[in-house]
Amino acid sequence: PPATLQFVDGHYKEVFPDVPIWKIIIDKVLILTYAIYVLTVLTKLRRAVRAKYSIPEERCLGCEDFCCSFWCTCCTSAQLARQTADYEVQHAQCCTSTGCVPDPSDSTV
C-alpha cells in the first residue's frame, strides 16, 4: 500500500500501513543504489565522449561531467545521443543495439 501523510507534532510524517520497516529500508537502499549506478555510468560515458571528440570542459572544471549528469540527467542523455550518431546519414530506430537503423550489408546470415 502507498504511504500516506499524517500531521503529527506540528509536521507531516509519512505513514506506511502494514509494511515492515525492513522492507521500507531495503526499498530505499535499492533506489539509492540504482541512482548512484546510473549517475556513475552517465558521468563516465560523458567523460569518454568528450575525450574521444576532444570537447573541452567549459564550466565546473574537473567535475562538469558529474554536475551535468546529476543536475540535468535527461539533457545529458539527449546530448550524448546527438553526439554519438549522425542522424542526417543514418536514421534513428528504437530497440536496436546501436539506436540506429541496422545496415543490411552488415548482416551475418
Side-chain angles (χ1 to χ4, degrees):
T4 57
L5 291 176
Q6 290 183 354
F7 194 72
V8 179
D9 297 329
H11 62 280
Y12 285 98
K13 178 181 174 183
E14 276 187 316
V15 177
F16 296 88
D18 301 330
V19 178
I21 190 70
W22 66 268
K23 284 187 177 182
I24 297 169
I25 292 171
I26 288 177
D27 181 56
K28 301 292 183 186
V29 167
L30 288 175
I31 290 171
L32 179 63
T33 303
Y34 180 73
I36 290 171
Y37 172 75
V38 169
L39 181 62
T40 302
V41 168
L42 197 56
T43 300
K44 288 183 176 189
L45 179 61
R46 189 174 191 276
R47 184 177 301 135
V49 168
R50 275 191 325 92
K52 180 177 182 178
Y53 295 106
S54 301
I55 302 170
E57 286 184 306
E58 295 178 6
R59 294 174 181 80
C60 303
L61 297 178
C63 64
E64 180 176 323
D65 300 318
F66 173 79
C67 290
C68 289
S69 298
F70 183 78
W71 296 109
C72 306
T73 306
C74 295
C75 297
T76 301
S77 299
Q79 179 187 39
L80 289 169
R82 266 194 333 272
Q83 187 68 37
T84 56
D86 187 358
Y87 296 117
E88 293 176 6
V89 174
Q90 192 172 17
H91 295 289
Q93 182 175 349
C94 187
C95 301
T96 63
S97 61
T98 62
C100 295
V101 176
D103 186 7
S105 65
D106 290 343
S107 63
T108 56
V109 178

XYZ file of all heavy atoms in Angstrom:
855
model
N 0.835 -1.205 0.000
C 0.000 0.000 0.000
C 0.869 1.255 0.000
O 1.940 1.263 0.595
C -0.810 -0.104 1.274
C -0.411 -1.363 1.960
C 0.637 -2.033 1.161
N 0.401 2.306 -0.639
C 1.184 3.542 -0.691
C 1.218 4.249 0.660
O 0.358 4.057 1.508
C 0.439 4.383 -1.729
C -0.947 3.848 -1.734
C -0.843 2.393 -1.384
N 2.228 5.072 0.818
C 2.377 5.842 2.059
C 1.343 6.957 2.087
O 0.927 7.467 1.054
C 3.771 6.426 2.148
N 0.946 7.334 3.292
C 0.033 8.461 3.463
C 0.721 9.480 4.358
O 1.615 9.147 5.136
C -1.293 8.022 4.110
O -1.012 7.400 5.368
C -2.044 7.039 3.234
N 0.321 10.729 4.220
C 0.874 11.783 5.058
C -0.094 12.079 6.203
O -1.286 12.243 5.978
C 1.108 13.053 4.249
C 2.215 12.989 3.205
C 2.268 14.280 2.412
C 3.561 12.746 3.866
N 0.432 12.129 7.407
C -0.371 12.468 8.570
C 0.315 13.596 9.318
O 1.541 13.633 9.420
C -0.547 11.261 9.492
C -1.425 10.185 8.907
C -1.637 9.044 9.893
O -1.036 9.004 10.971
N -2.503 8.110 9.526
N -0.461 14.524 9.821
C 0.059 15.656 10.574
C 0.277 15.230 12.015
O -0.665 14.956 12.748
C -0.922 16.832 10.488
C -0.335 18.124 10.934
C 0.606 18.782 10.157
C -0.713 18.706 12.136
C 1.147 19.979 10.548
C -0.172 19.905 12.543
C 0.759 20.537 11.747
N 1.548 15.133 12.435
C 1.895 14.668 13.779
C 2.887 15.644 14.390
O 3.914 15.951 13.791
C 2.516 13.249 13.723
C 2.902 12.767 15.114
C 1.565 12.268 13.061
N 2.609 16.127 15.580
C 3.504 17.011 16.335
C 3.957 18.231 15.530
O 5.133 18.600 15.535
C 4.739 16.244 16.835
C 4.377 15.134 17.813
O 3.363 15.302 18.534
O 5.095 14.118 17.848
N 3.065 18.833 14.793
C 3.380 20.070 14.088
C 4.021 19.909 12.723
O 4.376 20.889 12.092
N 4.206 18.690 12.243
C 4.755 18.493 10.893
C 4.157 17.226 10.279
O 3.615 16.370 10.978
C 6.278 18.412 10.927
C 6.820 17.270 11.728
N 6.908 17.300 13.101
C 7.280 16.063 11.350
C 7.407 16.157 13.535
N 7.637 15.380 12.487
N 4.271 17.132 8.966
C 3.750 15.969 8.259
C 4.737 14.822 8.315
O 5.942 15.014 8.248
C 3.435 16.314 6.802
C 2.177 17.123 6.659
C 2.218 18.498 6.536
C 0.937 16.488 6.659
C 1.069 19.248 6.422
C -0.228 17.226 6.547
C -0.162 18.598 6.422
O -1.310 19.329 6.316
N 4.207 13.618 8.433
C 5.032 12.432 8.553
C 4.468 11.357 7.624
O 3.264 11.185 7.534
C 4.997 11.954 10.005
C 5.774 10.707 10.288
C 5.645 10.330 11.764
C 6.302 9.000 12.022
N 6.130 8.578 13.404
N 5.371 10.651 6.896
C 4.929 9.550 6.045
C 4.562 8.357 6.913
O 5.323 7.970 7.800
C 6.035 9.122 5.083
C 6.127 9.926 3.829
C 7.134 9.335 2.866
O 8.224 8.948 3.300
O 6.801 9.272 1.675
N 3.418 7.782 6.650
C 2.973 6.604 7.385
C 2.781 5.474 6.381
O 2.063 5.617 5.397
C 1.648 6.884 8.131
C 1.155 5.636 8.835
C 1.834 8.020 9.124
N 3.444 4.361 6.638
C 3.351 3.198 5.772
C 2.531 2.128 6.503
O 3.043 1.454 7.392
C 4.745 2.645 5.450
C 5.595 3.589 4.669
C 6.385 4.531 5.306
C 5.594 3.539 3.287
C 7.163 5.405 4.577
C 6.370 4.403 2.548
C 7.150 5.344 3.194
N 1.291 1.956 6.131
C 0.453 0.985 6.847
C 0.844 -0.455 6.512
O 1.074 -0.797 5.356
C -0.951 1.290 6.349
C -0.757 1.944 5.026
C 0.563 2.657 5.099
N 0.944 -1.289 7.524
C 1.167 -2.727 7.386
C 2.393 -3.106 6.560
O 2.407 -4.140 5.902
C -0.074 -3.393 6.764
C -1.312 -3.162 7.605
O -1.179 -3.038 8.835
O -2.409 -3.094 7.025
N 3.421 -2.273 6.571
C 4.649 -2.605 5.858
C 5.779 -2.649 6.878
O 6.021 -1.675 7.575
C 4.970 -1.553 4.765
C 6.278 -1.888 4.079
C 3.841 -1.478 3.762
N 6.476 -3.777 6.969
C 7.584 -3.854 7.928
C 8.687 -2.854 7.572
O 8.948 -2.586 6.402
C 8.099 -5.285 7.774
C 7.071 -6.022 6.998
C 6.265 -5.022 6.254
N 9.316 -2.326 8.596
C 10.349 -1.305 8.397
C 11.497 -1.823 7.552
O 12.076 -1.085 6.759
C 10.845 -0.741 9.752
C 11.724 0.483 9.555
C 11.581 -1.799 10.525
C 10.984 1.690 9.084
N 11.847 -3.096 7.641
C 12.957 -3.637 6.860
C 12.659 -3.593 5.366
O 13.566 -3.383 4.562
C 13.328 -5.042 7.313
C 12.275 -6.099 7.064
C 11.296 -6.491 7.928
C 12.114 -6.886 5.888
N 10.525 -7.466 7.358
C 11.006 -7.737 6.094
C 12.788 -6.963 4.687
C 10.556 -8.640 5.144
C 12.338 -7.870 3.727
C 11.237 -8.687 3.958
N 11.387 -3.739 4.973
C 11.033 -3.642 3.555
C 11.182 -2.211 3.050
O 11.619 -1.980 1.921
C 9.607 -4.133 3.314
C 9.463 -5.631 3.346
C 8.072 -6.050 2.941
C 7.972 -7.559 2.915
N 6.638 -8.006 2.467
N 10.841 -1.270 3.894
C 10.986 0.137 3.529
C 12.463 0.483 3.368
O 12.863 1.142 2.406
C 10.317 1.038 4.589
C 8.819 0.765 4.636
C 10.597 2.510 4.305
C 8.107 1.385 5.802
N 13.295 0.017 4.293
C 14.727 0.296 4.246
C 15.354 -0.335 3.006
O 16.126 0.311 2.287
C 15.419 -0.190 5.537
C 14.966 0.665 6.716
C 16.935 -0.157 5.392
C 15.397 0.149 8.072
N 15.015 -1.583 2.724
C 15.556 -2.246 1.532
C 15.129 -1.511 0.272
O 15.932 -1.316 -0.648
C 15.130 -3.732 1.499
C 15.889 -4.499 2.569
C 15.379 -4.343 0.121
C 15.508 -5.950 2.694
N 13.874 -1.086 0.208
C 13.381 -0.335 -0.944
C 14.193 0.941 -1.147
O 14.633 1.235 -2.263
C 11.904 -0.010 -0.743
C 11.319 0.751 -1.907
O 11.406 0.256 -3.051
O 10.765 1.845 -1.672
N 14.397 1.693 -0.093
C 15.143 2.954 -0.191
C 16.606 2.710 -0.576
O 17.177 3.458 -1.372
C 15.084 3.733 1.126
C 13.698 4.090 1.602
C 13.039 5.098 0.710
C 11.677 5.473 1.291
N 10.912 6.323 0.429
N 17.221 1.658 -0.031
C 18.616 1.340 -0.353
C 18.742 0.937 -1.816
O 19.681 1.360 -2.510
C 19.159 0.225 0.583
C 20.476 -0.338 0.072
C 19.319 0.765 1.992
N 17.817 0.144 -2.325
C 17.853 -0.263 -3.734
C 17.673 0.933 -4.667
O 18.369 1.038 -5.687
C 16.786 -1.320 -4.011
C 17.053 -2.704 -3.426
C 15.868 -3.628 -3.674
C 18.326 -3.299 -3.983
N 16.773 1.820 -4.332
C 16.563 3.018 -5.148
C 17.823 3.873 -5.159
O 18.264 4.353 -6.214
C 15.345 3.815 -4.642
C 14.062 3.041 -4.938
C 15.296 5.206 -5.258
C 12.825 3.630 -4.295
N 18.431 4.072 -4.004
C 19.653 4.868 -3.916
C 20.803 4.204 -4.681
O 21.538 4.872 -5.405
C 20.044 5.072 -2.453
C 21.322 5.877 -2.213
C 21.156 7.298 -2.740
C 21.667 5.887 -0.740
N 20.937 2.889 -4.560
C 21.993 2.170 -5.265
C 21.831 2.304 -6.774
O 22.804 2.565 -7.493
C 21.981 0.677 -4.864
O 22.135 0.585 -3.445
C 23.082 -0.102 -5.557
N 20.618 2.152 -7.272
C 20.368 2.284 -8.704
C 20.661 3.709 -9.176
O 21.264 3.901 -10.237
C 18.923 1.901 -9.037
C 18.618 2.014 -10.497
C 19.124 1.103 -11.410
C 17.828 3.056 -10.974
C 18.863 1.212 -12.763
C 17.551 3.177 -12.325
C 18.068 2.248 -13.209
O 17.802 2.371 -14.548
N 20.266 4.704 -8.398
C 20.517 6.098 -8.773
C 22.016 6.384 -8.851
O 22.481 7.054 -9.785
C 19.844 7.033 -7.778
N 22.784 5.878 -7.912
C 24.232 6.073 -7.922
C 24.848 5.360 -9.129
O 25.740 5.897 -9.789
C 24.858 5.589 -6.595
C 24.447 6.535 -5.460
C 26.371 5.485 -6.693
C 24.811 6.040 -4.083
N 24.369 4.165 -9.439
C 24.869 3.425 -10.597
C 24.616 4.203 -11.893
O 25.531 4.369 -12.710
C 24.197 2.049 -10.659
C 24.498 1.297 -11.922
C 25.734 0.697 -12.122
C 23.543 1.196 -12.932
C 26.022 0.016 -13.295
C 23.817 0.517 -14.101
C 25.049 -0.071 -14.276
O 25.321 -0.739 -15.435
N 23.397 4.698 -12.088
C 23.065 5.452 -13.299
C 23.910 6.716 -13.390
O 24.437 7.053 -14.454
C 21.556 5.782 -13.343
C 21.231 6.783 -14.425
C 20.747 4.515 -13.534
N 24.060 7.403 -12.282
C 24.867 8.621 -12.264
C 26.325 8.327 -12.617
O 26.946 9.053 -13.395
C 24.776 9.278 -10.883
C 25.548 10.570 -10.684
C 25.027 11.649 -11.626
C 25.438 11.029 -9.245
N 26.873 7.249 -12.094
C 28.255 6.877 -12.378
C 28.441 6.520 -13.848
O 29.384 6.993 -14.497
C 28.677 5.687 -11.491
O 28.513 6.051 -10.128
C 30.117 5.294 -11.738
N 27.552 5.709 -14.384
C 27.662 5.306 -15.794
C 27.529 6.519 -16.708
O 28.314 6.684 -17.653
C 26.595 4.235 -16.129
C 26.480 4.021 -17.629
C 26.919 2.930 -15.427
N 26.564 7.375 -16.445
C 26.354 8.553 -17.288
C 27.539 9.512 -17.213
O 27.972 10.063 -18.234
C 25.062 9.260 -16.872
C 24.468 10.244 -17.858
C 24.212 9.596 -19.200
C 23.169 10.795 -17.299
N 28.104 9.695 -16.034
C 29.274 10.562 -15.878
C 30.469 10.016 -16.655
O 31.135 10.755 -17.381
C 29.639 10.705 -14.387
O 28.526 11.285 -13.692
C 30.866 11.568 -14.191
N 30.734 8.717 -16.514
C 31.868 8.114 -17.222
C 31.655 8.128 -18.733
O 32.601 8.365 -19.489
C 32.095 6.687 -16.733
C 32.680 6.626 -15.346
C 32.958 5.201 -14.926
C 33.643 5.176 -13.576
N 34.115 3.840 -13.221
N 30.438 7.887 -19.176
C 30.145 7.911 -20.608
C 30.327 9.307 -21.179
O 30.931 9.486 -22.239
C 28.721 7.416 -20.872
C 28.266 7.406 -22.323
C 29.160 6.482 -23.145
C 26.818 6.975 -22.410
N 29.851 10.312 -20.472
C 30.002 11.691 -20.939
C 31.485 12.066 -21.002
O 31.939 12.707 -21.948
C 29.243 12.657 -20.030
C 29.185 14.062 -20.571
C 28.297 14.943 -19.695
N 28.028 16.202 -20.339
C 28.817 17.263 -20.306
N 29.962 17.205 -19.637
N 28.489 18.372 -20.911
N 32.243 11.659 -20.005
C 33.683 11.940 -19.990
C 34.380 11.256 -21.177
O 35.231 11.846 -21.837
C 34.294 11.469 -18.677
C 35.769 11.817 -18.541
C 36.340 11.406 -17.199
N 35.610 12.055 -16.115
C 35.204 11.428 -15.011
N 35.470 10.156 -14.826
N 34.555 12.079 -14.081
N 33.996 10.016 -21.469
C 34.604 9.283 -22.583
C 34.257 9.921 -23.927
O 35.129 10.029 -24.807
C 34.137 7.830 -22.563
N 33.020 10.373 -24.097
C 32.623 11.022 -25.353
C 33.357 12.350 -25.518
O 33.836 12.669 -26.611
C 31.093 11.213 -25.406
C 30.683 12.123 -26.545
C 30.397 9.864 -25.536
N 33.487 13.114 -24.442
C 34.234 14.376 -24.521
C 35.693 14.119 -24.889
O 36.272 14.830 -25.704
C 34.173 15.140 -23.191
C 32.979 15.998 -23.029
C 33.054 16.956 -21.847
N 33.752 16.457 -20.674
C 35.044 16.639 -20.425
N 35.793 17.314 -21.254
N 35.590 16.143 -19.338
N 36.291 13.072 -24.324
C 37.690 12.757 -24.632
C 37.837 12.304 -26.086
O 38.778 12.707 -26.771
C 38.198 11.669 -23.691
N 36.915 11.485 -26.558
C 37.002 10.968 -27.927
C 36.899 12.083 -28.961
O 37.611 12.082 -29.953
C 35.894 9.948 -28.172
C 35.924 9.369 -29.564
C 34.866 8.310 -29.760
C 34.987 7.746 -31.171
N 34.031 6.681 -31.411
N 36.008 13.035 -28.733
C 35.798 14.114 -29.698
C 36.536 15.399 -29.326
O 36.280 16.451 -29.892
C 34.300 14.383 -29.866
C 33.575 13.210 -30.470
C 32.763 12.398 -29.690
C 33.715 12.890 -31.810
C 32.101 11.314 -30.229
C 33.064 11.812 -32.366
C 32.252 11.027 -31.568
O 31.612 9.949 -32.114
N 37.416 15.338 -28.357
C 38.231 16.475 -27.900
C 37.373 17.692 -27.559
O 37.649 18.809 -27.976
C 39.263 16.853 -28.968
O 40.098 15.765 -29.255
N 36.341 17.471 -26.771
C 35.455 18.549 -26.337
C 35.940 19.023 -24.968
O 35.941 18.252 -24.007
C 33.997 18.069 -26.245
C 33.532 17.529 -27.596
C 33.088 19.188 -25.765
C 32.191 16.819 -27.561
N 36.358 20.275 -24.849
C 36.876 20.757 -23.560
C 35.751 21.057 -22.566
O 34.617 21.328 -22.965
C 37.605 22.042 -23.942
C 36.879 22.529 -25.156
C 36.425 21.304 -25.888
N 36.097 21.001 -21.292
C 35.150 21.428 -20.254
C 35.071 22.946 -20.285
O 36.082 23.621 -20.468
C 35.619 20.976 -18.875
C 35.441 19.507 -18.616
C 35.823 19.132 -17.204
O 36.950 19.451 -16.798
O 34.996 18.527 -16.520
N 33.878 23.479 -20.095
C 33.708 24.925 -20.102
C 33.387 25.478 -18.720
O 33.761 26.589 -18.392
C 32.602 25.312 -21.084
C 32.957 24.990 -22.514
C 31.834 25.320 -23.479
O 30.816 25.906 -23.039
O 31.974 25.000 -24.655
N 32.665 24.721 -17.931
C 32.281 25.167 -16.589
C 32.585 24.033 -15.602
O 32.716 22.890 -15.994
C 30.789 25.498 -16.553
C 30.449 26.680 -17.411
C 28.935 26.884 -17.461
N 28.582 28.004 -18.293
C 28.522 27.975 -19.613
N 28.815 26.877 -20.255
N 28.171 29.040 -20.299
N 32.642 24.338 -14.359
C 32.869 23.329 -13.311
C 34.076 22.459 -13.642
O 33.988 21.228 -13.645
C 31.644 22.454 -13.123
S 30.141 23.325 -12.716
N 35.187 23.080 -13.946
C 36.377 22.340 -14.374
C 36.701 21.208 -13.406
O 36.809 21.408 -12.206
C 37.565 23.288 -14.515
C 37.401 24.373 -15.583
C 38.615 25.277 -15.613
C 37.167 23.763 -16.943
N 36.829 20.027 -13.967
C 37.131 18.851 -13.171
C 35.910 18.056 -12.761
O 36.016 16.873 -12.488
N 34.744 18.685 -12.724
C 33.544 17.946 -12.321
C 32.335 18.287 -13.197
O 31.206 18.044 -12.805
C 33.234 18.187 -10.856
S 32.818 19.890 -10.462
N 32.581 18.815 -14.386
C 31.473 19.195 -15.274
C 30.629 17.979 -15.665
O 29.394 18.062 -15.701
C 31.997 19.876 -16.538
C 30.894 20.280 -17.496
C 31.419 21.039 -18.694
O 32.366 21.828 -18.548
O 30.865 20.821 -19.769
N 31.271 16.859 -15.936
C 30.534 15.661 -16.337
C 29.599 15.204 -15.216
O 28.445 14.860 -15.465
C 31.503 14.539 -16.714
C 32.400 14.941 -17.869
O 31.893 15.560 -18.817
O 33.601 14.640 -17.812
N 30.099 15.218 -14.000
C 29.268 14.832 -12.865
C 28.125 15.815 -12.666
O 26.976 15.405 -12.474
C 30.105 14.741 -11.578
C 29.257 14.503 -10.361
C 28.789 13.240 -10.076
C 28.917 15.554 -9.522
C 27.990 13.016 -8.964
C 28.119 15.342 -8.408
C 27.657 14.064 -8.124
N 28.421 17.104 -12.701
C 27.379 18.116 -12.477
C 26.277 18.022 -13.528
O 25.092 18.068 -13.200
C 27.983 19.519 -12.474
S 29.002 19.852 -11.030
N 26.656 17.873 -14.795
C 25.648 17.746 -15.859
C 24.828 16.476 -15.683
O 23.609 16.489 -15.847
C 26.318 17.753 -17.231
S 26.978 19.353 -17.695
N 25.494 15.383 -15.340
C 24.790 14.115 -15.154
C 23.854 14.160 -13.953
O 22.775 13.575 -13.980
C 25.789 12.975 -14.975
O 26.592 12.846 -16.124
N 24.258 14.860 -12.908
C 23.443 14.925 -11.692
C 22.268 15.886 -11.844
O 21.136 15.535 -11.534
C 24.311 15.344 -10.501
C 23.571 15.364 -9.193
C 23.325 14.179 -8.530
C 23.126 16.549 -8.642
C 22.633 14.179 -7.324
C 22.447 16.563 -7.440
C 22.202 15.376 -6.778
N 22.542 17.097 -12.321
C 21.506 18.122 -12.351
C 20.629 18.070 -13.597
O 19.494 18.516 -13.561
C 22.125 19.518 -12.226
C 22.798 19.727 -10.915
C 24.137 19.822 -10.681
C 22.178 19.823 -9.623
N 24.373 19.969 -9.346
C 23.191 19.987 -8.671
C 20.852 19.793 -9.192
C 22.931 20.104 -7.319
C 20.596 19.917 -7.838
C 21.621 20.077 -6.922
N 21.153 17.548 -14.700
C 20.410 17.553 -15.973
C 20.508 16.188 -16.634
O 20.999 16.073 -17.760
C 20.950 18.623 -16.907
S 21.012 20.256 -16.208
N 20.053 15.143 -15.982
C 20.198 13.780 -16.483
C 19.557 13.605 -17.859
O 20.171 13.044 -18.766
C 19.583 12.778 -15.491
O 20.167 12.994 -14.206
C 19.840 11.352 -15.917
N 18.339 14.093 -18.038
C 17.652 13.937 -19.325
C 18.380 14.699 -20.428
O 18.553 14.183 -21.541
C 16.215 14.417 -19.223
S 15.215 13.421 -18.116
N 18.813 15.908 -20.126
C 19.540 16.706 -21.127
C 20.862 16.050 -21.485
O 21.260 16.037 -22.654
C 19.784 18.116 -20.599
S 18.272 19.038 -20.287
N 21.555 15.506 -20.509
C 22.828 14.842 -20.753
C 22.631 13.612 -21.632
O 23.403 13.375 -22.565
C 23.498 14.448 -19.421
O 23.699 15.623 -18.644
C 24.826 13.769 -19.647
N 21.590 12.840 -21.371
C 21.301 11.667 -22.196
C 20.997 12.074 -23.635
O 21.486 11.449 -24.581
C 20.119 10.888 -21.622
O 20.419 10.438 -20.330
N 20.208 13.124 -23.807
C 19.888 13.603 -25.160
C 21.140 14.123 -25.866
O 21.346 13.878 -27.058
C 18.828 14.695 -25.082
N 21.989 14.822 -25.135
C 23.234 15.342 -25.711
C 24.135 14.197 -26.169
O 24.699 14.246 -27.263
C 23.957 16.191 -24.669
C 25.273 16.763 -25.140
C 26.026 17.450 -24.012
O 26.025 16.966 -22.888
N 26.644 18.574 -24.321
N 24.247 13.159 -25.369
C 25.068 12.014 -25.744
C 24.493 11.305 -26.966
O 25.235 10.864 -27.846
C 25.201 11.038 -24.572
C 26.071 11.525 -23.427
C 25.929 10.612 -22.221
C 27.518 11.626 -23.853
N 23.186 11.192 -27.047
C 22.560 10.563 -28.215
C 22.835 11.365 -29.481
O 23.117 10.800 -30.539
C 21.060 10.427 -27.989
N 22.760 12.686 -29.379
C 23.050 13.538 -30.536
C 24.519 13.463 -30.924
O 24.860 13.470 -32.101
C 22.709 14.991 -30.209
C 21.356 15.420 -30.607
C 21.198 16.939 -30.562
N 22.050 17.658 -29.634
C 21.747 17.903 -28.359
N 20.630 17.461 -27.859
N 22.580 18.567 -27.606
N 25.390 13.403 -29.948
C 26.825 13.451 -30.201
C 27.356 12.158 -30.802
O 28.318 12.171 -31.554
C 27.570 13.741 -28.893
C 29.042 13.970 -29.050
C 29.360 15.258 -29.787
O 28.686 16.260 -29.611
N 30.370 15.228 -30.615
N 26.738 11.044 -30.479
C 27.296 9.750 -30.889
C 26.681 9.171 -32.148
O 27.049 8.091 -32.560
C 27.156 8.726 -29.755
O 25.774 8.649 -29.393
C 27.980 9.125 -28.553
N 25.734 9.864 -32.779
C 25.146 9.372 -34.022
C 24.936 10.536 -34.977
O 24.634 11.651 -34.555
C 23.818 8.690 -33.745
N 25.105 10.281 -36.260
C 24.866 11.294 -37.288
C 23.527 10.970 -37.934
O 23.436 10.146 -38.842
C 25.996 11.275 -38.325
C 25.882 12.417 -39.307
O 24.914 13.201 -39.200
O 26.753 12.541 -40.173
N 22.469 11.603 -37.434
C 21.123 11.275 -37.871
C 20.811 11.770 -39.278
O 19.788 11.412 -39.841
C 20.097 11.804 -36.872
C 20.233 11.147 -35.526
C 20.565 11.871 -34.395
C 20.049 9.775 -35.387
C 20.707 11.255 -33.164
C 20.187 9.152 -34.165
C 20.506 9.899 -33.060
O 20.640 9.283 -31.845
N 21.659 12.618 -39.852
C 21.455 13.023 -41.235
C 21.926 11.929 -42.191
O 21.464 11.831 -43.314
C 22.190 14.332 -41.516
C 21.591 15.511 -40.761
C 22.371 16.793 -40.960
O 23.312 16.807 -41.769
O 22.024 17.776 -40.295
N 22.845 11.094 -41.741
C 23.363 9.998 -42.564
C 22.582 8.720 -42.299
O 22.221 7.988 -43.215
C 24.867 9.773 -42.272
C 25.390 8.554 -43.013
C 25.653 11.015 -42.621
N 22.307 8.429 -41.043
C 21.632 7.199 -40.665
C 20.506 7.529 -39.697
O 20.717 8.212 -38.699
C 22.624 6.239 -40.015
C 22.096 4.853 -39.861
C 23.178 3.901 -39.405
O 24.221 4.322 -38.919
N 22.932 2.624 -39.563
N 19.302 7.049 -39.992
C 18.132 7.358 -39.172
C 18.158 6.569 -37.862
O 18.696 5.474 -37.792
C 16.848 7.046 -39.936
C 16.680 7.916 -41.145
N 16.394 9.251 -41.065
C 16.787 7.641 -42.464
C 16.320 9.763 -42.272
N 16.562 8.803 -43.157
N 17.530 7.152 -36.858
C 17.447 6.501 -35.553
C 16.321 5.476 -35.551
O 15.348 5.613 -36.278
C 17.203 7.540 -34.476
N 16.485 4.446 -34.728
C 15.450 3.435 -34.570
C 15.494 2.916 -33.147
O 16.565 2.603 -32.626
C 15.644 2.276 -35.555
C 14.557 1.233 -35.450
C 14.700 0.154 -36.504
O 15.470 0.267 -37.437
N 13.951 -0.909 -36.354
N 14.336 2.826 -32.546
C 14.228 2.347 -31.174
C 14.444 0.836 -31.114
O 14.184 0.116 -32.073
C 12.845 2.708 -30.624
S 12.655 2.343 -28.895
N 14.913 0.360 -29.991
C 15.071 -1.068 -29.694
C 16.092 -1.768 -30.598
O 15.889 -2.906 -31.027
C 13.725 -1.785 -29.754
S 12.523 -1.109 -28.597
N 17.177 -1.100 -30.911
C 18.288 -1.742 -31.605
C 19.514 -1.618 -30.714
O 19.533 -0.809 -29.785
C 18.578 -1.081 -32.972
O 18.967 0.269 -32.756
C 17.371 -1.141 -33.886
N 20.535 -2.378 -31.008
C 21.720 -2.351 -30.147
C 22.479 -1.029 -30.247
O 23.164 -0.630 -29.317
C 22.652 -3.517 -30.493
O 23.074 -3.405 -31.839
N 22.363 -0.326 -31.382
C 23.086 0.933 -31.561
C 22.187 2.159 -31.526
O 22.671 3.272 -31.424
C 23.824 0.938 -32.908
O 22.850 0.824 -33.959
C 24.830 -0.187 -33.000
N 20.871 1.968 -31.656
C 19.959 3.107 -31.708
C 19.777 3.641 -33.109
O 19.077 4.620 -33.325
N 20.420 3.013 -34.088
C 20.309 3.418 -35.487
C 19.722 2.274 -36.297
O 19.741 1.119 -35.877
C 21.678 3.812 -36.047
S 22.373 5.266 -35.249
N 19.221 2.598 -37.488
C 18.678 1.576 -38.381
C 19.811 0.639 -38.786
O 20.867 1.100 -39.224
C 18.039 2.230 -39.619
C 17.550 1.171 -40.595
C 16.913 3.154 -39.213
N 19.626 -0.667 -38.636
C 20.687 -1.612 -38.996
C 21.014 -1.531 -40.497
O 20.121 -1.384 -41.324
C 20.107 -2.974 -38.642
C 18.980 -2.706 -37.710
C 18.473 -1.337 -38.040
N 22.284 -1.635 -40.815
C 22.744 -1.606 -42.199
C 22.602 -3.016 -42.767
O 23.173 -3.963 -42.249
C 24.212 -1.167 -42.248
C 24.732 -0.964 -43.656
O 23.916 -1.043 -44.603
O 25.938 -0.719 -43.799
N 21.821 -3.181 -43.877
C 21.603 -4.540 -44.412
C 22.896 -5.187 -44.908
O 22.996 -6.414 -44.936
C 20.638 -4.323 -45.577
C 20.383 -2.868 -45.682
C 21.097 -2.171 -44.571
N 23.893 -4.402 -45.269
C 25.149 -5.010 -45.739
C 25.962 -5.625 -44.609
O 26.879 -6.390 -44.842
C 25.991 -3.963 -46.470
O 26.384 -2.944 -45.566
N 25.623 -5.279 -43.358
C 26.345 -5.822 -42.201
C 25.733 -7.106 -41.666
O 26.181 -7.622 -40.659
C 26.364 -4.793 -41.063
C 27.245 -3.612 -41.381
O 28.080 -3.727 -42.307
O 27.103 -2.575 -40.712
N 24.693 -7.628 -42.316
C 24.026 -8.809 -41.777
C 24.939 -10.017 -41.866
O 25.640 -10.227 -42.849
C 22.716 -9.069 -42.528
O 22.995 -9.342 -43.878
N 24.916 -10.820 -40.832
C 25.743 -12.032 -40.778
C 24.816 -13.228 -40.771
O 24.500 -13.772 -39.728
C 26.635 -12.020 -39.542
O 25.798 -11.871 -38.385
C 27.652 -10.921 -39.601
N 24.350 -13.593 -41.932
C 23.405 -14.712 -42.028
C 24.134 -15.960 -42.460
O 25.083 -15.996 -43.125
C 22.278 -14.397 -43.049
C 21.330 -15.570 -43.177
C 21.560 -13.154 -42.623
